[in-house]
Amino acid sequence: IITGDRDGGDTYSYGLMKSTDGGSTFNLTGLSFNVTNYYKGNRVLINPSNTNIIIVATSNGIYRSVDNGVSFVHVYAGINITDIEFHPTNTSIIYAASKGNTSVYKSSDNGMNWSNAGIGLPPMNDVVRACVAVTPDNPQVVYALFGDNNNGFYAVYKSIDEGASWTQQSNSPNLLGWSVNGTDNDGQAWYDLAFAV
């Protein structure tokens, strides 16, 4: 379990904790923070092909362990990574999405190196947050959901080539807004944003 409030910003992370007794007790791992660092824990992935590999998304970037959480390497720094997903059939490929410097990122070497994912995504300064989603029904496909600068719905993008290129699928109605018919301009992209395919 990664500690800290990803969205509310009022509880900060002291790191990743691990249970080896079905959740009865938890112990610290090699990824620990001082709460005065003001980092937030966002998402944990355990590699299904090698469960010794753990990828952790935080407000301070991405951390990676190859020894079941005993030690971690800070593999991507300075970006608030709020969402990460493994490719459905190739765990060497991982997609990530961010808040703030908003974009979609991709690793092709199981989380060791990261770069912006492909062409066709919206300009970073037009969006405030992103989520990614994949499906085992078509492993080449990845989707990205973006919130705009008013925290409303910016658009959904789709890639059919594992993130190399992206096409906008929809930008209305305002799926993240307060209005029941999507006609308003603001919304809740900043809080509890999730996306599934």
Side-chain angles (χ1 to χ4, degrees):
I1 185 171
I2 185 68
T3 58
D5 186 341
R6 178 186 75 172
D7 297 326
D10 54 1
T11 305
Y12 298 102
S13 180
Y14 51 88
L16 182 74
M17 300 191 73
K18 175 182 172 180
S19 174
T20 58
D21 57 11
S24 294
T25 61
F26 282 85
N27 295 301
L28 292 173
T29 66
L31 184 60
S32 60
F33 305 122
N34 188 319
V35 293
T36 58
N37 291 130
Y38 305 111
Y39 299 150
K40 297 181 224 173
N42 297 333
R43 183 93 197 266
V44 179
L45 291 182
I46 299 171
N47 188 330
S49 300
N50 180 351
T51 57
N52 286 320
I53 298 175
I54 302 169
I55 314 289
V56 181
T58 73
S59 62
N60 191 39
I62 298 172
Y63 295 81
R64 183 176 187 267
S65 173
V66 296
D67 55 14
N68 207 10
V70 174
S71 63
F72 281 84
V73 174
H74 195 188
V75 294
Y76 199 60
I79 305 257
N80 185 1
I81 301 294
T82 52
D83 193 18
I84 49 177
E85 294 286 347
F86 277 114
H87 183 284
T89 58
N90 180 356
T91 58
S92 291
I93 299 174
I94 308 171
Y95 304 103
S98 63
K99 183 177 183 181
N101 292 329
T102 306
S103 192
V104 175
Y105 303 89
K106 180 180 176 181
S107 171
S108 297
D109 57 9
N110 194 245
M112 291 184 284
N113 295 285
W114 294 85
S115 60
N116 282 353
I119 59 170
L121 290 168
M124 286 186 185
N125 58 353
D126 288 354
V127 290
V128 71
R129 179 140 179 206
C131 282
V132 292
V134 296
T135 173
D137 288 339
N138 190 338
Q140 304 298 310
V141 173
V142 58
Y143 289 91
L145 168 69
F146 290 90
D148 67 19
N149 288 323
N150 292 321
N151 286 302
F153 177 57
Y154 182 86
V156 169
Y157 285 75
K158 178 181 180 182
S159 171
I160 59 171
D161 53 12
E162 297 178 337
S165 59
W166 298 80
T167 304
Q168 187 183 97
Q169 301 297 293
S170 171
N171 64 359
S172 67
N174 183 8
L175 304 174
L176 305 175
W178 312 115
S179 170
V180 296
N181 62 7
T183 58
D184 55 346
N185 294 319
D186 56 359
Q188 198 163 323
W190 67 278
Y191 191 79
D192 284 350
L193 190 63
F195 194 36
V197 177

